[in-house]
Amino acid sequence: MTGFRTRVSFAPASPKPQESMLYVRVEEGRFENGKWIFKRVWNGDQTDYGLNFTDREQVLRVKLGSYRGNPVIPVGNPN
């Protein structure tokens, strides 16, 4: 995935009761001759409200997952 000056989020199209989505892994890198060249992993601070693309070139490889149960509460939630 790639983009400029945008925020991208994902959600299940037709979620079942108590089904949520999460980013399993978000890698930044590039492709050379059709091969993925890893640069770094994006951490939770960079993915907690979606994938935030800036004005610089970024290519991401994103692995999504889903689970059933209580939603994950972000760190820092005052509740």
Side-chain angles (χ1 to χ4, degrees), residues 4-79:
F4 289 97
R5 297 183 181 159
T6 191
R7 177 179 293 164
V8 178
S9 298
F10 296 94
S14 301
K16 296 176 177 71
Q18 291 192 313
E19 183 178 32
S20 297
M21 191 279 321
L22 57 85
Y23 297 101
V24 174
R25 186 171 172 95
V26 179
E27 294 180 355
E28 184 175 346
R30 68 185 190 282
F31 284 98
E32 281 187 16
N33 300 320
K35 183 178 177 186
W36 176 250
I37 306 298
F38 170 83
K39 180 178 179 183
R40 67 186 185 108
V41 173
W42 279 24
N43 65 33
D45 290 343
Q46 296 166 301
T47 63
D48 56 355
Y49 294 104
L51 305 174
N52 297 302
F53 290 95
T54 63
D55 60 350
R56 67 183 182 89
E57 292 182 15
Q58 294 171 300
V59 179
L60 302 180
R61 184 164 72 171
V62 181
K63 183 176 181 179
L64 303 173
S66 65
Y67 64 94
R68 294 181 83 179
N70 294 327
V72 175
I73 298 173
V75 173
N77 187 327
N79 296 323

